[in-house]
Amino acid sequence: MQDDKLIIADKTYNSRLLVGTGKYKDMDETRDAIEASGAEIVTVAIRRTNIGQNPDEPNLLDVISPDKYTILPNTAGCYTAKDAVRTCQLARELLDGHDLVKLEVLGDQKTLYPNMVDTIEAAETLIKDGFKVMVYTSDDPIIAKRLEEMGCVAVMPLAGLIGSGLGICNPHNIRLIKENATVPILVDAGVGTASDAAIAMEIGCDAVLMNTAIAGAQKPVLMASAMKKAIEAGRESFLAGRMPKKAYASASSPIDGTFF
Amino acid sequence: MKIFLNGEAKEVVDSCSVLDLLTEMDIVGQRLAVEVNEEIVSKSRHADYSFGEGDKVEIVHAIGGG
């Protein structure tokens, strides 16, 4: 398993779990959960500084250091291509030229479903401007392929609505997307518990990105550890190749040599 | 002179630079990015870039997000 690495934009990672930093109780819990998850790529949001805030208050990037983690700024909260592009440009300035971004352009506050028209427009602009784009997308295999062909470095279909914890609602679509892809496919959104993460990996996904499944657990640090194991178990299970399903029983102990 | 800092009106002295503003806010050296009228003002220009009347200034940083 040591040779089984995740490669995104020519950089190699050991962990196939990517985590967000939102919704934690405080900076200590954020740090501890991310540590326990084993994640190497960590998403952050870009927002206005609070005017008049306590200057001694710890900054997220002091806790989640860019020296230790690959920081993945997102465009969460953006509903237009323009806002998403602007957010990525600010993120690149903030992170001293770091150009790996998670693009998401939302379409609707109730579902946070991606607006694919604006997502494609933003992706085009960002790629032309030198960004390496990991893109949040609907689970349409044709759109996913189009995003890959445009030059996105990873394609990240939702498996369920953001923050819903509904699990992998669309295993067949995720499988279709993965079958057609030559860039990493990550499930982004939907995972609620460890078995969901394992299912995503068993389908053959290259990695999973999650936030609320960990931060929203009763014990986030313990759930982070569970997710790490689930991702590893799911990946090994995928590589091992599962047994075929059968309609009837097949005894595990030999019939020969019975003495009764 | 009036500018709009992160959406709120603010009085600054004429010829106030980005660096002057960051100094006043006590956030020099922090990981942040500055935008004036939707154009990035890179770190190397903070000392030289002076605001104009009515400039819309955004100062952003990284926070928790998924």
Side-chain angles (χ1 to χ4, degrees), chain A residues 20-22 43-51 53 55 59-61 66-67 74 76 82 86 89-90 93-96 102 104 209 211, chain B residues 5-8 10 25-27 30-35 37-44 46 57-66:
Chain A
T21 51
T43 67
V44 301
I46 307 298
R47 292 291 182 270
R48 284 172 166 167
T49 51
N50 297 322
I51 311 300
Q53 72 186 5
N59 187 299
L60 177 65
L61 294 181
D67 298 331
N74 69 24
K82 182 180 172 240
R86 196 175 154 201
Q89 287 167 342
L90 282 164
E93 164 68 12
L94 176 71
L95 294 166
D96 303 321
K102 173 185 162 179
E104 59 178 290
L209 199 168
N211 189 154
Chain B
L5 173 59
N6 287 358
E8 289 180 21
K10 180 178 173 60
M25 293 167 72
D26 200 15
I27 54 174
Q30 290 192 15
R31 285 187 179 276
L32 47 81
V34 179
E35 193 192 68
N37 301 329
E38 301 195 11
E39 293 288 334
I40 303 271
V41 178
S42 63
K43 289 179 188 71
S44 59
H46 283 186
V57 182
E58 296 289 345
I59 303 178
V60 301
H61 66 162
I63 64 157

Short mmCIF file of all heavy atoms in Angstrom, two decimals, chain A residues 20-22 43-51 53 55 59-61 66-67 74 76 82 86 89-90 93-96 102 104 209 211, chain B residues 5-8 10 25-27 30-35 37-44 46 57-66:
data_model
loop_
_atom_site.label_atom_id
_atom_site.label_comp_id
_atom_site.label_asym_id
_atom_site.label_seq_id
_atom_site.Cartn_x
_atom_site.Cartn_y
_atom_site.Cartn_z
N GLY A 20 -12.33 19.94 5.70
CA GLY A 20 -12.60 21.36 5.86
C GLY A 20 -12.33 21.79 7.29
O GLY A 20 -12.10 20.96 8.17
N THR A 21 -12.36 23.10 7.50
CA THR A 21 -12.04 23.66 8.82
C THR A 21 -13.22 24.44 9.41
O THR A 21 -13.06 25.17 10.38
CB THR A 21 -10.82 24.60 8.72
OG1 THR A 21 -11.06 25.53 7.65
CG2 THR A 21 -9.55 23.83 8.43
N GLY A 22 -14.40 24.28 8.81
CA GLY A 22 -15.56 25.04 9.27
C GLY A 22 -16.30 24.33 10.40
O GLY A 22 -16.16 23.12 10.59
N THR A 43 -9.13 22.56 3.57
CA THR A 43 -9.79 23.70 2.94
C THR A 43 -10.01 24.84 3.94
O THR A 43 -10.20 24.60 5.14
CB THR A 43 -11.16 23.33 2.33
OG1 THR A 43 -12.07 22.99 3.36
CG2 THR A 43 -11.04 22.18 1.35
N VAL A 44 -9.98 26.05 3.42
CA VAL A 44 -10.30 27.25 4.22
C VAL A 44 -11.20 28.15 3.38
O VAL A 44 -11.27 28.02 2.16
CB VAL A 44 -9.03 28.04 4.61
CG1 VAL A 44 -8.07 27.18 5.42
CG2 VAL A 44 -8.32 28.63 3.39
N ALA A 45 -11.90 29.06 4.06
CA ALA A 45 -12.73 30.05 3.37
C ALA A 45 -12.03 31.41 3.46
O ALA A 45 -11.18 31.62 4.33
CB ALA A 45 -14.10 30.12 4.02
N ILE A 46 -12.38 32.30 2.55
CA ILE A 46 -11.81 33.65 2.52
C ILE A 46 -12.91 34.64 2.88
O ILE A 46 -13.94 34.68 2.21
CB ILE A 46 -11.24 33.98 1.12
CG1 ILE A 46 -10.27 32.89 0.65
CG2 ILE A 46 -10.59 35.35 1.11
CD1 ILE A 46 -9.05 32.71 1.51
N ARG A 47 -12.68 35.40 3.94
CA ARG A 47 -13.70 36.35 4.39
C ARG A 47 -13.04 37.64 4.86
O ARG A 47 -11.85 37.70 5.11
CB ARG A 47 -14.50 35.76 5.56
CG ARG A 47 -15.39 34.57 5.18
CD ARG A 47 -16.56 34.96 4.31
NE ARG A 47 -17.42 33.83 3.99
CZ ARG A 47 -17.27 33.03 2.93
NH1 ARG A 47 -16.28 33.24 2.09
NH2 ARG A 47 -18.11 32.03 2.72
N ARG A 48 -13.88 38.67 5.02
CA ARG A 48 -13.39 39.94 5.54
C ARG A 48 -12.76 39.76 6.92
O ARG A 48 -13.29 39.00 7.74
CB ARG A 48 -14.56 40.93 5.68
CG ARG A 48 -15.03 41.50 4.38
CD ARG A 48 -16.29 42.31 4.59
NE ARG A 48 -16.57 43.14 3.42
CZ ARG A 48 -17.71 43.76 3.21
NH1 ARG A 48 -18.69 43.65 4.07
NH2 ARG A 48 -17.87 44.49 2.13
N THR A 49 -11.68 40.49 7.16
CA THR A 49 -11.14 40.53 8.52
C THR A 49 -12.14 41.29 9.38
O THR A 49 -12.81 42.21 8.92
CB THR A 49 -9.80 41.29 8.58
OG1 THR A 49 -9.96 42.55 7.94
CG2 THR A 49 -8.69 40.52 7.91
N ASN A 50 -12.23 40.89 10.62
CA ASN A 50 -13.11 41.62 11.55
C ASN A 50 -12.39 42.87 12.00
O ASN A 50 -11.36 42.79 12.66
CB ASN A 50 -13.44 40.76 12.77
CG ASN A 50 -14.21 39.53 12.37
OD1 ASN A 50 -15.06 39.59 11.49
ND2 ASN A 50 -13.88 38.42 12.98
N ILE A 51 -12.95 43.99 11.65
CA ILE A 51 -12.35 45.24 12.08
C ILE A 51 -12.46 45.33 13.60
O ILE A 51 -13.52 45.06 14.17
CB ILE A 51 -13.09 46.45 11.44
CG1 ILE A 51 -13.26 46.24 9.94
CG2 ILE A 51 -12.38 47.74 11.77
CD1 ILE A 51 -12.00 46.09 9.17
N GLN A 53 -11.01 43.46 15.78
CA GLN A 53 -10.90 42.20 16.50
C GLN A 53 -9.61 42.22 17.33
O GLN A 53 -8.72 43.01 17.09
CB GLN A 53 -10.87 41.03 15.54
CG GLN A 53 -9.55 40.92 14.76
CD GLN A 53 -9.59 39.83 13.70
OE1 GLN A 53 -10.61 39.22 13.47
NE2 GLN A 53 -8.46 39.63 13.06
N PRO A 55 -6.16 41.61 18.19
CA PRO A 55 -5.05 41.23 17.32
C PRO A 55 -4.29 40.00 17.82
O PRO A 55 -3.55 39.38 17.06
CB PRO A 55 -4.14 42.47 17.31
CG PRO A 55 -4.60 43.33 18.43
CD PRO A 55 -5.99 42.92 18.81
N ASN A 59 -4.90 33.20 14.46
CA ASN A 59 -5.34 33.16 13.07
C ASN A 59 -5.39 31.69 12.65
O ASN A 59 -4.55 30.89 13.06
CB ASN A 59 -4.28 33.93 12.25
CG ASN A 59 -4.68 34.10 10.81
OD1 ASN A 59 -4.87 33.12 10.09
ND2 ASN A 59 -4.80 35.34 10.38
N LEU A 60 -6.37 31.34 11.84
CA LEU A 60 -6.52 29.93 11.42
C LEU A 60 -5.21 29.39 10.83
O LEU A 60 -4.83 28.26 11.09
CB LEU A 60 -7.66 29.80 10.40
CG LEU A 60 -7.86 28.39 9.83
CD1 LEU A 60 -8.32 27.42 10.91
CD2 LEU A 60 -8.87 28.41 8.69
N LEU A 61 -4.54 30.22 10.05
CA LEU A 61 -3.33 29.74 9.37
C LEU A 61 -2.12 29.66 10.32
O LEU A 61 -1.07 29.17 9.94
CB LEU A 61 -3.01 30.61 8.15
CG LEU A 61 -4.05 30.51 7.03
CD1 LEU A 61 -3.67 31.38 5.86
CD2 LEU A 61 -4.27 29.07 6.58
N PRO A 66 0.47 26.56 6.70
CA PRO A 66 0.75 26.22 5.29
C PRO A 66 2.09 25.49 5.12
O PRO A 66 2.33 24.89 4.09
CB PRO A 66 0.79 27.59 4.59
CG PRO A 66 0.02 28.50 5.48
CD PRO A 66 0.26 28.01 6.87
N ASP A 67 2.94 25.54 6.15
CA ASP A 67 4.20 24.77 6.07
C ASP A 67 3.93 23.29 6.25
O ASP A 67 4.69 22.44 5.79
CB ASP A 67 5.18 25.24 7.16
CG ASP A 67 5.54 26.70 6.97
OD1 ASP A 67 5.52 27.16 5.80
OD2 ASP A 67 5.83 27.38 7.98
N ASN A 74 -11.32 27.84 -0.64
CA ASN A 74 -12.52 27.55 -1.40
C ASN A 74 -13.25 28.84 -1.76
O ASN A 74 -12.91 29.92 -1.30
CB ASN A 74 -13.43 26.58 -0.64
CG ASN A 74 -14.06 27.20 0.60
OD1 ASN A 74 -14.20 28.42 0.69
ND2 ASN A 74 -14.45 26.38 1.55
N ALA A 76 -16.56 29.02 -1.34
CA ALA A 76 -17.87 28.80 -0.70
C ALA A 76 -18.59 30.13 -0.50
O ALA A 76 -17.96 31.13 -0.18
CB ALA A 76 -17.68 28.12 0.64
N LYS A 82 -18.04 35.58 -11.30
CA LYS A 82 -17.22 36.75 -10.97
C LYS A 82 -16.75 36.72 -9.51
O LYS A 82 -15.57 36.95 -9.21
CB LYS A 82 -18.04 38.02 -11.24
CG LYS A 82 -17.28 39.29 -10.98
CD LYS A 82 -18.14 40.53 -11.27
CE LYS A 82 -17.40 41.77 -10.83
NZ LYS A 82 -18.09 42.54 -9.82
N ARG A 86 -12.84 36.30 -8.17
CA ARG A 86 -12.30 37.33 -7.28
C ARG A 86 -11.80 36.70 -5.97
O ARG A 86 -10.73 37.04 -5.47
CB ARG A 86 -13.44 38.32 -7.00
CG ARG A 86 -13.02 39.63 -6.44
CD ARG A 86 -14.26 40.51 -6.34
NE ARG A 86 -14.08 41.51 -5.30
CZ ARG A 86 -15.07 42.15 -4.70
NH1 ARG A 86 -16.33 41.90 -5.05
NH2 ARG A 86 -14.83 43.04 -3.77
N GLN A 89 -8.50 34.94 -6.56
CA GLN A 89 -7.39 35.89 -6.72
C GLN A 89 -6.94 36.43 -5.36
O GLN A 89 -5.75 36.56 -5.09
CB GLN A 89 -7.81 37.02 -7.65
CG GLN A 89 -7.87 36.55 -9.10
CD GLN A 89 -8.57 37.53 -10.03
OE1 GLN A 89 -9.30 38.40 -9.59
NE2 GLN A 89 -8.34 37.37 -11.32
N LEU A 90 -7.89 36.72 -4.49
CA LEU A 90 -7.55 37.17 -3.13
C LEU A 90 -6.83 36.06 -2.37
O LEU A 90 -5.87 36.31 -1.64
CB LEU A 90 -8.81 37.61 -2.38
CG LEU A 90 -9.32 39.00 -2.75
CD1 LEU A 90 -10.75 39.20 -2.27
CD2 LEU A 90 -8.42 40.09 -2.16
N GLU A 93 -3.21 35.82 -3.43
CA GLU A 93 -2.43 36.90 -2.81
C GLU A 93 -2.17 36.59 -1.33
O GLU A 93 -1.05 36.74 -0.84
CB GLU A 93 -3.19 38.22 -2.98
CG GLU A 93 -2.74 39.36 -2.09
CD GLU A 93 -1.35 39.91 -2.42
OE1 GLU A 93 -0.82 39.56 -3.48
OE2 GLU A 93 -0.82 40.67 -1.59
N LEU A 94 -3.19 36.13 -0.67
CA LEU A 94 -3.11 35.80 0.76
C LEU A 94 -2.09 34.71 1.04
O LEU A 94 -1.39 34.72 2.04
CB LEU A 94 -4.51 35.35 1.20
CG LEU A 94 -4.76 34.86 2.60
CD1 LEU A 94 -4.68 36.01 3.57
CD2 LEU A 94 -6.13 34.22 2.67
N LEU A 95 -2.00 33.75 0.12
CA LEU A 95 -1.14 32.58 0.33
C LEU A 95 0.14 32.67 -0.50
O LEU A 95 0.71 31.65 -0.90
CB LEU A 95 -1.91 31.29 0.02
CG LEU A 95 -3.08 31.01 0.98
CD1 LEU A 95 -4.00 29.94 0.42
CD2 LEU A 95 -2.55 30.58 2.34
N ASP A 96 0.57 33.87 -0.77
CA ASP A 96 1.87 34.11 -1.42
C ASP A 96 2.02 33.39 -2.76
O ASP A 96 3.06 32.78 -3.04
CB ASP A 96 3.02 33.70 -0.49
CG ASP A 96 2.95 34.44 0.84
OD1 ASP A 96 2.62 35.64 0.83
OD2 ASP A 96 3.21 33.82 1.88
N LYS A 102 -10.17 25.39 -4.55
CA LYS A 102 -11.40 24.63 -4.72
C LYS A 102 -12.48 25.59 -5.21
O LYS A 102 -12.88 26.51 -4.51
CB LYS A 102 -11.83 24.01 -3.38
CG LYS A 102 -13.21 23.35 -3.48
CD LYS A 102 -13.73 22.85 -2.17
CE LYS A 102 -15.23 22.62 -2.27
NZ LYS A 102 -15.83 22.10 -1.04
N GLU A 104 -16.15 26.40 -6.18
CA GLU A 104 -17.56 26.02 -6.08
C GLU A 104 -18.39 27.28 -6.31
O GLU A 104 -18.13 28.32 -5.73
CB GLU A 104 -17.89 25.36 -4.74
CG GLU A 104 -17.63 26.20 -3.50
CD GLU A 104 -18.04 25.47 -2.22
OE1 GLU A 104 -19.26 25.30 -1.98
OE2 GLU A 104 -17.15 25.10 -1.46
N LEU A 209 -13.60 14.50 0.23
CA LEU A 209 -13.49 15.77 0.95
C LEU A 209 -14.70 15.91 1.85
O LEU A 209 -15.83 15.75 1.39
CB LEU A 209 -13.41 16.94 -0.04
CG LEU A 209 -12.85 18.28 0.44
CD1 LEU A 209 -12.60 19.19 -0.76
CD2 LEU A 209 -13.71 18.99 1.44
N ASN A 211 -16.37 17.91 5.67
CA ASN A 211 -16.23 18.87 6.77
C ASN A 211 -17.25 18.57 7.87
O ASN A 211 -16.90 18.17 8.97
CB ASN A 211 -16.41 20.30 6.24
CG ASN A 211 -16.07 21.39 7.25
OD1 ASN A 211 -15.70 22.49 6.86
ND2 ASN A 211 -16.16 21.14 8.54
N LEU B 5 -14.16 50.67 4.12
CA LEU B 5 -13.33 49.54 4.54
C LEU B 5 -14.24 48.37 4.93
O LEU B 5 -15.01 48.48 5.88
CB LEU B 5 -12.44 49.96 5.72
CG LEU B 5 -11.63 48.86 6.38
CD1 LEU B 5 -10.68 48.21 5.38
CD2 LEU B 5 -10.85 49.41 7.56
N ASN B 6 -14.12 47.30 4.19
CA ASN B 6 -14.95 46.12 4.42
C ASN B 6 -16.43 46.51 4.58
O ASN B 6 -17.12 46.04 5.48
CB ASN B 6 -14.46 45.33 5.64
CG ASN B 6 -13.16 44.60 5.35
OD1 ASN B 6 -12.65 44.64 4.23
ND2 ASN B 6 -12.62 43.93 6.33
N GLY B 7 -16.86 47.40 3.70
CA GLY B 7 -18.26 47.77 3.64
C GLY B 7 -18.67 48.91 4.56
O GLY B 7 -19.81 49.37 4.49
N GLU B 8 -17.74 49.38 5.43
CA GLU B 8 -18.11 50.46 6.35
C GLU B 8 -17.31 51.72 6.05
O GLU B 8 -16.11 51.66 5.76
CB GLU B 8 -17.84 50.02 7.79
CG GLU B 8 -18.82 48.96 8.27
CD GLU B 8 -18.57 48.51 9.69
OE1 GLU B 8 -17.91 49.26 10.45
OE2 GLU B 8 -19.01 47.41 10.03
N LYS B 10 -15.13 54.94 6.48
CA LYS B 10 -14.03 55.22 7.42
C LYS B 10 -13.28 56.46 6.96
O LYS B 10 -13.00 56.62 5.77
CB LYS B 10 -13.08 54.01 7.47
CG LYS B 10 -11.91 54.21 8.42
CD LYS B 10 -11.03 52.96 8.47
CE LYS B 10 -9.77 53.21 9.30
NZ LYS B 10 -10.03 53.57 10.69
N MET B 25 -4.56 49.52 12.06
CA MET B 25 -5.39 48.39 12.50
C MET B 25 -4.58 47.35 13.28
O MET B 25 -5.15 46.37 13.77
CB MET B 25 -6.04 47.72 11.28
CG MET B 25 -7.05 48.60 10.56
SD MET B 25 -7.48 47.89 8.95
CE MET B 25 -8.45 46.47 9.45
N ASP B 26 -3.29 47.55 13.35
CA ASP B 26 -2.39 46.64 14.07
C ASP B 26 -2.42 45.21 13.49
O ASP B 26 -2.45 44.22 14.21
CB ASP B 26 -2.76 46.62 15.57
CG ASP B 26 -1.61 46.09 16.42
OD1 ASP B 26 -0.47 46.02 15.91
OD2 ASP B 26 -1.85 45.73 17.59
N ILE B 27 -2.43 45.13 12.16
CA ILE B 27 -2.45 43.81 11.51
C ILE B 27 -1.35 43.69 10.46
O ILE B 27 -1.44 42.85 9.56
CB ILE B 27 -3.84 43.50 10.88
CG1 ILE B 27 -4.28 44.62 9.93
CG2 ILE B 27 -4.89 43.27 11.95
CD1 ILE B 27 -5.57 44.31 9.17
N GLN B 30 0.33 40.15 9.20
CA GLN B 30 -0.59 39.01 9.25
C GLN B 30 -0.87 38.50 7.85
O GLN B 30 -0.68 39.20 6.87
CB GLN B 30 -1.90 39.43 9.93
CG GLN B 30 -1.73 39.67 11.41
CD GLN B 30 -3.07 39.80 12.13
OE1 GLN B 30 -4.12 39.46 11.61
NE2 GLN B 30 -3.02 40.31 13.35
N ARG B 31 -1.35 37.25 7.78
CA ARG B 31 -1.70 36.68 6.49
C ARG B 31 -3.04 37.26 6.04
O ARG B 31 -4.08 36.89 6.56
CB ARG B 31 -1.82 35.16 6.58
CG ARG B 31 -0.49 34.47 6.65
CD ARG B 31 -0.67 32.98 6.57
NE ARG B 31 0.61 32.31 6.62
CZ ARG B 31 1.38 32.12 5.55
NH1 ARG B 31 1.00 32.54 4.36
NH2 ARG B 31 2.53 31.49 5.68
N LEU B 32 -2.97 38.20 5.11
CA LEU B 32 -4.19 38.82 4.61
C LEU B 32 -3.97 39.25 3.17
O LEU B 32 -2.86 39.20 2.65
CB LEU B 32 -4.58 40.02 5.50
CG LEU B 32 -3.47 41.01 5.88
CD1 LEU B 32 -3.21 41.99 4.77
CD2 LEU B 32 -3.86 41.74 7.15
N ALA B 33 -5.06 39.66 2.54
CA ALA B 33 -4.97 40.17 1.17
C ALA B 33 -5.81 41.43 1.09
O ALA B 33 -6.83 41.55 1.77
CB ALA B 33 -5.48 39.13 0.18
N VAL B 34 -5.35 42.36 0.29
CA VAL B 34 -6.01 43.66 0.19
C VAL B 34 -6.45 43.89 -1.25
O VAL B 34 -5.71 43.63 -2.21
CB VAL B 34 -5.05 44.80 0.62
CG1 VAL B 34 -5.74 46.15 0.50
CG2 VAL B 34 -4.54 44.57 2.04
N GLU B 35 -7.67 44.41 -1.36
CA GLU B 35 -8.25 44.70 -2.66
C GLU B 35 -8.80 46.13 -2.60
O GLU B 35 -9.40 46.51 -1.59
CB GLU B 35 -9.40 43.70 -2.86
CG GLU B 35 -9.97 43.59 -4.23
CD GLU B 35 -11.28 42.80 -4.21
OE1 GLU B 35 -12.27 43.30 -3.66
OE2 GLU B 35 -11.30 41.70 -4.75
N ASN B 37 -11.17 48.66 -4.89
CA ASN B 37 -12.07 48.73 -6.05
C ASN B 37 -11.97 47.48 -6.93
O ASN B 37 -11.85 47.53 -8.14
CB ASN B 37 -11.78 50.00 -6.88
CG ASN B 37 -11.94 51.25 -6.04
OD1 ASN B 37 -12.75 51.28 -5.12
ND2 ASN B 37 -11.17 52.28 -6.34
N GLU B 38 -11.96 46.34 -6.23
CA GLU B 38 -11.95 45.01 -6.87
C GLU B 38 -10.67 44.70 -7.61
O GLU B 38 -10.63 43.80 -8.46
CB GLU B 38 -13.19 44.83 -7.77
CG GLU B 38 -14.48 44.97 -6.99
CD GLU B 38 -15.71 44.46 -7.72
OE1 GLU B 38 -15.56 43.80 -8.76
OE2 GLU B 38 -16.83 44.71 -7.21
N GLU B 39 -9.59 45.41 -7.31
CA GLU B 39 -8.27 45.07 -7.86
C GLU B 39 -7.34 44.73 -6.69
O GLU B 39 -7.29 45.47 -5.71
CB GLU B 39 -7.68 46.26 -8.63
CG GLU B 39 -8.41 46.62 -9.91
CD GLU B 39 -8.21 45.60 -11.03
OE1 GLU B 39 -7.17 44.91 -11.01
OE2 GLU B 39 -9.10 45.50 -11.89
N ILE B 40 -6.60 43.62 -6.82
CA ILE B 40 -5.66 43.23 -5.77
C ILE B 40 -4.55 44.28 -5.66
O ILE B 40 -4.02 44.73 -6.67
CB ILE B 40 -5.00 41.88 -6.12
CG1 ILE B 40 -6.05 40.79 -6.34
CG2 ILE B 40 -3.95 41.49 -5.07
CD1 ILE B 40 -6.47 40.03 -5.14
N VAL B 41 -4.22 44.64 -4.42
CA VAL B 41 -3.00 45.43 -4.20
C VAL B 41 -2.01 44.50 -3.51
O VAL B 41 -2.19 44.12 -2.35
CB VAL B 41 -3.29 46.67 -3.31
CG1 VAL B 41 -2.00 47.45 -3.06
CG2 VAL B 41 -4.34 47.56 -3.96
N SER B 42 -1.00 44.07 -4.26
CA SER B 42 -0.09 43.04 -3.75
C SER B 42 0.76 43.59 -2.61
O SER B 42 0.93 44.81 -2.45
CB SER B 42 0.79 42.52 -4.87
OG SER B 42 1.59 43.57 -5.35
N LYS B 43 1.29 42.66 -1.82
CA LYS B 43 2.05 43.04 -0.62
C LYS B 43 3.18 44.02 -0.95
O LYS B 43 3.46 44.94 -0.19
CB LYS B 43 2.65 41.78 0.02
CG LYS B 43 1.61 40.88 0.67
CD LYS B 43 2.24 39.64 1.27
CE LYS B 43 1.19 38.66 1.75
NZ LYS B 43 0.44 38.00 0.64
N SER B 44 3.82 43.79 -2.09
CA SER B 44 4.98 44.63 -2.45
C SER B 44 4.57 46.09 -2.70
O SER B 44 5.41 46.98 -2.70
CB SER B 44 5.66 44.06 -3.70
OG SER B 44 4.73 44.03 -4.77
N HIS B 46 2.06 47.68 -0.84
CA HIS B 46 1.31 48.22 0.31
C HIS B 46 1.83 49.58 0.77
O HIS B 46 1.06 50.45 1.15
CB HIS B 46 1.34 47.24 1.48
CG HIS B 46 0.40 46.08 1.30
ND1 HIS B 46 0.16 45.14 2.26
CD2 HIS B 46 -0.37 45.71 0.24
CE1 HIS B 46 -0.70 44.25 1.82
NE2 HIS B 46 -1.04 44.56 0.59
N VAL B 57 -12.37 49.41 -0.15
CA VAL B 57 -11.22 48.61 0.29
C VAL B 57 -11.72 47.34 0.98
O VAL B 57 -12.59 47.41 1.85
CB VAL B 57 -10.35 49.42 1.28
CG1 VAL B 57 -9.12 48.61 1.69
CG2 VAL B 57 -9.95 50.76 0.67
N GLU B 58 -11.19 46.23 0.56
CA GLU B 58 -11.51 44.97 1.24
C GLU B 58 -10.22 44.37 1.78
O GLU B 58 -9.22 44.28 1.06
CB GLU B 58 -12.16 43.96 0.26
CG GLU B 58 -13.50 44.40 -0.29
CD GLU B 58 -14.64 44.37 0.73
OE1 GLU B 58 -14.47 43.75 1.80
OE2 GLU B 58 -15.69 44.98 0.45
N ILE B 59 -10.24 43.97 3.04
CA ILE B 59 -9.11 43.25 3.63
C ILE B 59 -9.66 41.89 4.08
O ILE B 59 -10.61 41.83 4.87
CB ILE B 59 -8.52 44.01 4.83
CG1 ILE B 59 -8.09 45.41 4.38
CG2 ILE B 59 -7.32 43.24 5.40
CD1 ILE B 59 -7.53 46.28 5.50
N VAL B 60 -9.08 40.83 3.53
CA VAL B 60 -9.63 39.49 3.81
C VAL B 60 -8.55 38.59 4.40
O VAL B 60 -7.35 38.83 4.25
CB VAL B 60 -10.21 38.84 2.54
CG1 VAL B 60 -11.32 39.69 1.94
CG2 VAL B 60 -9.12 38.57 1.52
N HIS B 61 -9.01 37.56 5.07
CA HIS B 61 -8.11 36.54 5.62
C HIS B 61 -8.78 35.18 5.52
O HIS B 61 -9.92 35.08 5.05
CB HIS B 61 -7.71 36.90 7.06
CG HIS B 61 -8.83 36.87 8.05
ND1 HIS B 61 -8.64 36.80 9.39
CD2 HIS B 61 -10.18 36.90 7.86
CE1 HIS B 61 -9.81 36.78 10.01
NE2 HIS B 61 -10.75 36.85 9.11
N ALA B 62 -8.03 34.16 5.93
CA ALA B 62 -8.57 32.80 5.86
C ALA B 62 -9.28 32.47 7.16
O ALA B 62 -8.77 32.75 8.25
CB ALA B 62 -7.45 31.80 5.62
N ILE B 63 -10.46 31.88 7.05
CA ILE B 63 -11.18 31.39 8.23
C ILE B 63 -11.64 29.96 7.97
O ILE B 63 -11.50 29.45 6.86
CB ILE B 63 -12.41 32.28 8.57
CG1 ILE B 63 -13.43 32.22 7.43
CG2 ILE B 63 -11.99 33.70 8.86
CD1 ILE B 63 -14.83 32.57 7.88
N GLY B 64 -12.21 29.34 8.98
CA GLY B 64 -12.67 27.97 8.83
C GLY B 64 -13.75 27.85 7.76
O GLY B 64 -14.65 28.68 7.69
N GLY B 65 -13.61 26.82 6.93
CA GLY B 65 -14.61 26.59 5.89
C GLY B 65 -14.39 25.23 5.25
O GLY B 65 -13.32 24.65 5.38
N GLY B 66 -15.44 24.72 4.61
CA GLY B 66 -15.34 23.37 4.04
C GLY B 66 -15.31 23.35 2.55
O GLY B 66 -15.38 24.36 1.89
#
